[in-house]
Amino acid sequence: MVDFGGWDMPVQYPAGTIEEHLRTRRHAGLFDVSHMGEIDVKGADAIAVVNYLVSNDVTKLIDGQAQYSALTTPAGTVVDDLLVYRFAEDHLLLVVNAGTTEKDWDWINANRQPGAADLKNVSSDYCQIALQGPDAIGILQKLTALPLADIKYYHFTQGGVDGVPAIVSRTGYTGEDGFEVYAAAEKAEQIWNKMLDAGNFGSDTGVLPCGLAARNTLRLEAGMALYGHEIDESTTLLEANLGWICKLNKGDFVGREALAKQKESGITRKLIGFEVTERGIARDEQEVLVDGERVGKVTSGSPAPYLKKNIGMGYVPTDSATEGREIQIDVRGRLVGAQIVKTPFYKREKN
Amino acid sequence: MANIPDDLHYSKDHEWVRADGGVATVGITDHAQNQLGDVVYVELPKVGDEFGANEPFGSVESVKAVSEVFSPVSGEIVEINGSLTDSPEKVNTDPYGDGWMIRVKMSNAGEVDSMLSAAEYEDFTKAETE
């Protein structure tokens, strides 16, 4: 167990990281992500108030839809990345990272504009259990009458899961199809155990509980940013390839001006994905070299259990950020060859 | 419960040594591989390299972490287990057998006597995890 934003979390369960990772890709993995923070926003101006704080366009959401977004600083850097759920025109839920929940809460209250919106930090009210992988839908369907196949990606609905009132969201952080289920905190154990039962935990093709290490390798293969690694208060959304969540024409928001200016003048560094081409494993914080010069750092580096390659992401000067470019990583004093590749590293086949 | 064979010598860095006629075979313990999780990469020195006692000679990596491995004895590397390049998982499946890492021609065979016995190592790991 390790401390993770104040939560005791398992790095891995007895099956081990590699098996947890592969099982999620091939069948299903179960993740207790109750540590995630939730902020409830209610009131006639809920959408306007949130829209001023985040980079994506909240007005585009319809009831029952979720949106990936970011809380931005005036410099266009990232306070946190988050999901915005729309329940109704006057009701949103923000789902933020565990380690940043308190910071986000303070930031939002310090930077929000006046308006009819009541904000409440409801993090401790909710558990969140993520069921991910191609078998997730079949497993969860055994526990609910909600027509899961009708829920589109990045949409959600509300109803009973094993009789427990829940929010069932077709979202995830693994690159697989799957669901994130939010319910009252005290129901976490019940939902967790029922999902293990419904998913034939114990069989070779059944669901496996997954720890933090597999959560990290799955999201890395899927090319998704992790707060504190690819994005933080020193990196802008544009540098992090998150221009697609910067809606510069939606109206004013914190950081809009800086991001518009940076878009105009061009970014000087860019987040890239790479594959290690020699023997060695790149790790977080190691230096990246282009033409022998130390130009940036690895933001996430790890073996990729499904791809069976050693991969990573990191920042390099924009003029070097071209696919196929040979780079080097300083792996504890040894320069190891790598090549810039397209992300996501892994993309599931859609049927 | 971790497997701790009686006939080996142990270090506080969780290596084991099997001494045989002035040559020491070195690997990591069952307890160590268990703590590390799935080993995906092993970095070993070259034959002919020399190490002092308790100097790092290589590293073992799991998906999540990198750990240095230390030579409990001083001397020259006379053989390495090259099969770990393609099959690093042997460190998990057979830490005291096929998962061995290096053979060292000891420059001071007395060094093994100052290492922990199986019973002492068992107490040490218990104290460490408490």
Side-chain angles (χ1 to χ4, degrees), chain A residues 11-12 15-19 212-213 216-217 279-281 283 301-303 305 310 331-332 334, chain B residues 34-44 59-66 68 84-86:
Chain A
V11 172
Q12 58 179 14
T17 303
I18 294 177
E19 186 56 31
L212 282 175
N216 185 55
T217 50
R279 249 179 79 72
I281 300 171
R283 300 286 184 176
S302 171
N310 297 318
V331 177
R332 295 182 300 284
R334 195 166 59 89
Chain B
N34 200 26
Q35 292 289 311
L36 270 168
D38 305 315
V39 171
V40 294
Y41 185 87
V42 179
E43 181 91 32
L44 294 177
S59 55
V60 182
E61 303 196 34
S62 65
V63 173
K64 192 70 189 160
V66 188
E68 285 191 308
L84 297 181
T85 302
D86 289 327

Side-chain angles (χ1 to χ4, degrees), chain A residues 274-289:
Chain A
F274 63 84
E275 258 176 46
V276 177
T277 49
E278 295 177 350
R279 249 179 79 72
I281 300 171
R283 300 286 184 176
D284 301 9
E285 294 293 311
Q286 291 173 345
E287 287 184 301
V288 179
L289 291 83

Side-chain angles (χ1 to χ4, degrees), chain A residues 17-30:
Chain A
T17 303
I18 294 177
E19 186 56 31
E20 292 168 18
H21 181 114
L22 297 177
R23 195 68 65 85
T24 304
R25 290 262 180 266
R26 291 169 185 155
H27 298 285
L30 191 61

Side-chain angles (χ1 to χ4, degrees), chain B:
Chain B
M1 205 45 233
N3 174 20
I4 306 175
D6 278 336
D7 58 334
L8 305 179
H9 304 278
Y10 297 89
S11 75
K12 290 185 175 177
D13 297 313
H14 307 286
E15 288 88 15
W16 56 264
V17 165
R18 181 179 288 120
D20 185 12
V23 173
T25 302
V26 181
I28 66 166
T29 65
D30 187 39
H31 173 78
Q33 69 78 18
N34 200 26
Q35 292 289 311
L36 270 168
D38 305 315
V39 171
V40 294
Y41 185 87
V42 179
E43 181 91 32
L44 294 177
K46 289 193 274 300
V47 169
D49 287 355
E50 290 186 32
F51 293 91
N54 302 314
E55 274 184 11
F57 68 79
S59 55
V60 182
E61 303 196 34
S62 65
V63 173
K64 192 70 189 160
V66 188
S67 301
E68 285 191 308
V69 254
F70 300 86
S71 176
V73 295
S74 49
E76 183 189 331
I77 308 285
V78 291
E79 196 180 347
I80 60 165
N81 185 357
S83 74
L84 297 181
T85 302
D86 289 327
S87 305
E89 70 280 0
K90 287 180 183 173
V91 173
N92 295 116
T93 55
D94 193 8
Y96 301 110
D98 289 346
W100 69 276
M101 293 180 177
I102 54 168
R103 293 208 164 97
V104 183
K105 190 176 155 198
M106 290 187 280
S107 52
N108 177 4
E111 281 167 354
V112 290
D113 297 329
S114 59
M115 293 180 69
L116 304 177
S117 67
E120 287 166 339
Y121 179 67
E122 188 176 352
D123 289 344
F124 174 73
T125 53
K126 268 189 200 155
E128 216 185 23
T129 47
E130 266 163 20

Side-chain angles (χ1 to χ4, degrees), chain A residues 50-315:
Chain A
V50 173
N51 213 26
Y52 178 72
L53 295 166
V54 301
S55 60
N56 209 336
D57 189 352
V58 185
T59 67
K60 295 282 191 249
L61 282 173
I62 58 167
D63 291 354
Q65 193 178 16
Q67 184 182 65
Y68 182 61
S69 194
L71 287 166
T72 32
T73 70
T77 65
V78 189
V79 178
D80 200 7
D81 61 339
L82 75 164
L83 287 183
V84 179
Y85 287 88
R86 172 171 157 159
F87 290 87
E89 205 175 353
D90 58 356
H91 186 196
L92 303 172
L93 185 72
L94 315 181
V95 178
V96 301
N97 285 299
T100 47
T101 306
E102 287 307 314
K103 180 185 82 163
D104 295 351
W105 175 246
D106 293 342
W107 174 268
I108 287 169
N109 284 295
N111 290 279
R112 64 163 285 185
Q113 292 194 317
D118 283 333
L119 282 87
K120 242 193 195 157
N121 182 352
V122 292
S123 301
S124 49
D125 296 352
Y126 283 102
C127 68
Q128 187 190 341
I129 310 286
L131 182 62
Q132 300 280 300
D135 296 350
I137 188 166
I139 295 168
L140 185 57
Q141 194 65 77
K142 292 187 198 170
L143 300 174
T144 181
L146 295 168
L148 297 178
D150 293 347
I151 306 175
K152 286 186 284 193
Y153 190 52
Y154 267 76
H155 284 72
F156 67 98
T157 188
Q158 290 171 275
V161 173
D162 193 42
V164 175
I167 301 163
V168 177
S169 168
R170 199 158 195 172
T171 46
Y173 197 47
T174 59
E176 295 303 325
D177 185 23
F179 295 86
E180 294 176 307
V181 175
Y182 301 79
E186 67 271 16
K187 300 294 186 185
E189 202 177 340
Q190 178 187 340
I191 292 175
W192 176 266
N193 288 331
K194 288 290 180 162
M195 285 191 185
L196 287 180
D197 287 347
N200 288 321
F201 172 49
S203 113
D204 286 347
T205 55
V207 67
L208 268 185
C210 300
L212 282 175
R215 183 165 161 84
N216 185 55
T217 50
L218 286 159
R219 72 90 197 167
L220 178 58
E221 278 187 348
M224 293 167 161
L226 172 60
Y227 193 79
H229 293 249
E230 285 69 39
I231 45 175
D232 60 25
E233 289 185 24
S234 74
T235 52
T236 75
L237 289 171
L238 299 175
E239 292 166 348
N241 295 326
L242 293 173
W244 64 278
I245 62 165
C246 290
K247 299 295 154 62
L248 298 173
N249 299 321
K250 71 169 185 172
D252 196 25
F253 65 95
V254 180
R256 195 200 75 85
E257 204 179 322
L259 288 164
K261 205 178 273 178
Q262 191 179 41
K263 193 176 178 188
E264 172 97 23
S265 62
I267 50 174
T268 56
R269 61 172 188 160
K270 189 175 186 303
L271 185 69
I272 52 96
F274 63 84
E275 258 176 46
V276 177
T277 49
E278 295 177 350
R279 249 179 79 72
I281 300 171
R283 300 286 184 176
D284 301 9
E285 294 293 311
Q286 291 173 345
E287 287 184 301
V288 179
L289 291 83
V290 174
D291 297 331
E293 249 186 274
R294 291 171 191 270
V295 294
K297 277 191 175 172
V298 174
T299 52
S300 296
S302 171
Y306 186 81
L307 300 172
K308 292 189 167 46
K309 288 173 179 166
N310 297 318
I311 60 171
M313 295 196 275
Y315 283 94

Side-chain angles (χ1 to χ4, degrees), chain A residues 38-55:
Chain A
E38 289 88 12
I39 294 167
D40 193 70
V41 187
K42 273 197 186 111
D45 297 326
I47 290 173
V49 165
V50 173
N51 213 26
Y52 178 72
L53 295 166
V54 301
S55 60

